[in-house]
Structures are given as structure tokens and as C-alpha cells.
Amino acid sequence: MPQHVAFIMDGNGRWATQRGWRRLRGHSAGAETVRCVIRCCRDFGIRYLTLYAFSRENWSRPQEEVSGLMTLLRDHIVKQEHELHENHIRLRIMGQREDLPADVVRELERVEAATARYDRAHLILALSYGGRTEIARAARLLAERVARGELEPQQIDEAAVAASLYLPDVPDPDLIVRTSGEQRISNFLLWQSAYSELYVTPVLWPDFREPDFRAALEAFAARSRRFGGVEAKPLPKEKTC
Ligand code: IPE
Ligand code: IPE
Ligand code: MG
């Protein structure tokens, strides 16, 4: 079982347009999948769940869609708070939170603070998130420490960069699932995904349910994670070619 699963929740727009509906209806349906996936993680014993909910690039979408998504986000946080407490889930945000509307940030930070004491499970929302922005921000933070004389340039290594990311205590994702069939990373967790297993399903996010999650976990269980090393396997007895 992976300790950390991250989702690129994709396909809401297509799910709605296939039905002749507005894209926002797809986002509302996708919010139901979020509830389902949180429950699955609780039942499967997955400690860290990261959801890519809004990228920095998503700000370029039509204003109506962006504001609809922000309203949906705020309403959902309020609706789900009870379930977070019930299941001792800590809500955490990664991304440029200052880009978000003030009322959304207020609600998110209130729930972040209210659930900060929980450690059984972590729900991480990537909001106004971009992997390149995160790495550039880490570089800036390190440069500022050098300028203040707190750090020598020679001390900047992988561990120092990792410690300057948004959530340094969170382990790298073991598994990254992308729905809707697109085979790209779209600026998600560029640093942390170095050795993550990738799983792409054609299922659109609003249709993604427990059996689809199980299929992803089964595929993960069948993978051989070598981290650049070699797998200790006995040699075959006979020549195979
Ligand atoms: C993912 O669904 C949700 C967000 C990016 C906020 P999309 O809105 O990208 O859906 P498609 O890819 O257009 O179908
Ligand atoms: C990635 O999906 C971002 C989120 C799921 C929040 P997009 O739909 O924005 O990605 P592209 O444009 O297909 O790469
Ligand atoms: Mg998309």
C-alpha cells in the first residue's frame, strides 16, 4: 500500500460537455469524487492524499469558470469540515495561497488551524500550485538565507532544496494518478515526483470511484520500484533466447 497518493484530477470539463452541460457542472460532480477518494484513503489506510485542485496556469481560464471553482472550493471546505474532524484528518494547502480570493484563504486557514493537531491522515490541496513556482520559490528562500549569512552556498544540496519546498515534512508521493487519459504531469510536484509511480486512467474524474482506485493500487502493487538500483532476482536457469 502506498503511503502517499497524489491525484491529478482531470476531465471535469469533458465530463460536462459530453452531456451538453456547462463545465462548472463537471467541477461540482468532481467534488463528489473528492469525498469518495478521501473515504477510500481512510479505508485503505493511506496516510497522505494530495489533490491537484487548481494550477497556476488554471488562472488563464474564463473568469466565470475560475470564480465558480473558487466558490465551489470554499463551500466544499465548509461542508467537509465535520468529516475531517470525525476522521482526524489534517487539512494542508500547498501553492501560492496569496493568489486566492481572501474569503477562500480565510476559510482554508481556519480549517487548517482547526485540524492542525491531527496526524492520522493528511489531506493536501494543491491550489494555485505550480511545480516550477515551488522550486523557484525554494531557490529564492535559500538565496535569502545566504544573503543574511545564515547559510553557505556549498551547503545547498538536495536536502536543503527539499527543506525549502511548501511542505517539507510530507514524504514524496509513491503513486501519482491522472484521470481522463492525458499522459503529462502538467507542472505537478516536479521535484517530489522523481521516483513516483505514474498511473493514467481514461476514466474522467467525476466518474472515478472506489473500483478505479483499487485498480490503480493493484497496478502500483505490481510495479517494481528500483530507485535506480537493481532488483534482487534469481537468474533464470535456462537460456531464454
Ligand atoms: C480538472 O478538470 C479540474 C481543474 C483543472 C480545475 P478540467 O477542467 O481540466 O477538465 P477537462 O480537462 O477540460 O476535461
Ligand atoms: C491539471 O489539469 C491541473 C489540475 C488538475 C488542477 P489541466 O487540465 O489544467 O492540465 P492540462 O492543461 O490538460 O495540461
Ligand atoms: Mg483538464
Side-chain angles (χ1 to χ4, degrees), residues 8-10 52-55 58 61 178 182 184 186:
I8 303 177
M9 312 187 285
D10 199 17
Y52 198 9
F54 196 84
S55 72
N58 288 149
R61 294 191 178 197
R178 182 164 191 154
E182 308 292 357
R184 54 177 172 261
S186 297

Side-chain angles (χ1 to χ4, degrees), residues 8-17 23 26-27 52-55 58 61 65 69 178-180 182 184 204-206:
I8 303 177
M9 312 187 285
D10 199 17
N12 294 350
R14 274 163 283 171
W15 184 90
T17 46
R23 292 174 55 85
H27 296 311
Y52 198 9
F54 196 84
S55 72
N58 288 149
R61 294 191 178 197
E65 181 171 346
L69 273 165
R178 182 164 191 154
T179 56
S180 92
E182 308 292 357
R184 54 177 172 261
L204 303 177
W205 180 253

